[in-house]
Amino acid sequence: MVEIKTEENLLAMRETGRVVAQALAAVREKAAPGVTLGELDRAAREVLAGAGAGSPFLDYHPEWAPVPFPAVVCLSVNDAIVHGVPDGTRLADGDLVSADCGAVLGGWVGDSAVSFTVGAARPADTRLIDTAYEALEAGIAAARVGNRIGDIAHAVGRVCRRAGYGIPDGLGGHGVGRSMHEGPDIPNEGRPGRGMQLRHGMVLAIEPMLIGGGRDDHYTAADGWTIRTLDGSRAAHAEHTVAVTDEGPRILTAL
């Protein structure tokens, strides 16, 4: 089911989105060589707590996961694509980090992700991250009233494939609202003009995920959560919660 949000709902979701953006900014500011992933999670928790917000990630337990997720932010490093579990791992100079965070405030959810390099960046990582954001911008630009889900998927996939990157099989975006995962599903590759038509008041999490080695396959690590590239190449992830409106796409998770 796809819930159409009112203007009042969208304004409330914008407040939630600001909290998400602030949490991700805190994670990025804290990240440095020697800092643990657990410390980054604590930085995000402090922002959520300070805003009086909850976390849709903490204790989330889908049927495919062996245990509930133990943190408020997913931290995926280097060959991890998404769902990385924060632990005592210490960041090293040159690590590529993808941070995915959500918040719940006033009954509404926000969801966003950023990718960045710790310390000195490899040129290949910079290009990968830049392309992830370019794909996100293309997907957002296609999130217009009258377009279809396939138009977003095509816009994202075209940027990724043109750059020679892989697109992880089976992973993509989704609707957002009163819960973290609502309809519709938003693939990161598809045919234009296909799928559900976009209407004013729909809210979507658009989230390109790119695999640097060019392959699409991946596997789930022993923790049951972290999804890694099969070829061991690095990955990047970028995401915003976006409202489809008659005036054009409205990003709800920007600072």
Side-chain angles (χ1 to χ4, degrees), residues 1-3 5 13 20 56-57 60 64 74 82-83 100-103 108-113 136 139-140 143 149 152-153 156 170-189 196 198 201-209 237-244 252-253:
M1 178 179 175
V2 177
E3 180 183 8
K5 280 73 173 178
M13 292 190 74
V20 177
F57 288 19
Y60 178 59
W64 49 262
C74 297
V82 286
H83 302 165
D100 187 357
C101 187
W108 296 101
V109 175
D111 188 10
S112 184
L136 176 59
I140 292 171
I149 294 296
I152 298 175
V156 170
L171 301 178
H174 49 86
V176 185
R178 300 178 194 273
S179 64
M180 180 167 55
H181 294 127
E182 299 183 353
D185 292 334
I186 307 170
N188 282 326
E189 189 170 34
M196 181 181 292
L198 304 180
M202 293 175 67
V203 178
L204 313 172
I206 301 172
E207 50 180 323
M209 305 167 205
H237 177 202
E239 177 184 18
H240 269 309
T241 297
V242 179
V244 178
L252 302 179
T253 45

Side-chain angles (χ1 to χ4, degrees), residues 52-67:
S55 169
F57 288 19
L58 183 64
D59 295 327
Y60 178 59
H61 195 180
E63 61 182 16
W64 49 262
V67 296

